[in-house]
Amino acid sequence: MSDAPEVDQQTVDFESSMSVSGSVALALRHQRVAAGFAIRDLGRASGVSSAMISRIENAQVSPSLSTLESLARALSVPVISFFQHTIQTADMNFVRAGEGLQAKRFAPDHVHDYRILANFSDTEMTFSAARITVNREDNGTHPMYFARGYVFLTLLEGACIYACGDTENEMKRGDCLSFNAQLRHGVKSVLTKSVTFVTVTAKPA
């Protein structure tokens, strides 16, 4: 097997030439039609004149935030949905079964291999996913963790006792656990020869 990373990090381009006004126009028209509103219906529901809505949808004006808030409220959508086409690039991971970026985790008297399945970060948050296998022969050395953010994990193979705060959860294949990462957490003991699980973590940057 090659030592090269196997996480396929890609950059996807979106309608880079579209102006903000054009992007808002496209999104507003799409949201209005999806909601089944004629322009005059949306005008009555939002308090924004039909003429203004028509000009926005034709990218003839740049609406104020208060106008967009009124339209969003009438359409029951978040204001950010009007800006979805202004995104120029976004990252995407595609990882085939059994692949991922191989890594090692070191703790006092303990080391294990795992595979990173996803890893994203920006100025507001970080998001990661990993497939982890730990062995019963290492019982007594499994590390415990705590951090900001939230964790979701699901067992793929085997069984274990997973500690979360003051609770010890006996988990088997298919079981899921989610929790605030500020709780002290980690594998307490492996009940089968080994246990494999996927963890997904999201936390502020």
Side-chain angles (χ1 to χ4, degrees), residues 142-145 161-164 179 184-189:
H142 304 302
M144 302 294 286
Y145 306 94
I161 302 296
Y162 197 94
C164 185
F179 50 88
R184 188 172 175 81
H185 58 276
V187 174
K188 182 77 172 180
S189 62

Side-chain angles (χ1 to χ4, degrees), residues 49-102:
S49 72
S50 297
M52 174 60 76
I53 294 173
S54 180
R55 287 197 290 270
I56 295 172
E57 288 194 1
N58 285 286
Q60 295 173 345
V61 296
S62 295
S64 66
L65 181 57
S66 60
T67 296
L68 292 178
E69 287 175 337
S70 297
L71 293 169
R73 189 161 46 249
L75 292 167
S76 299
V77 299
V79 173
I80 193 65
S81 66
F82 295 137
F83 298 94
Q84 59 184 305
H85 298 292
T86 63
I87 300 173
Q88 303 299 310
T89 61
D91 293 328
M92 179 185 76
N93 285 160
F94 175 68
V95 180
R96 295 193 181 279
E99 297 182 352
L101 180 61
Q102 190 168 359

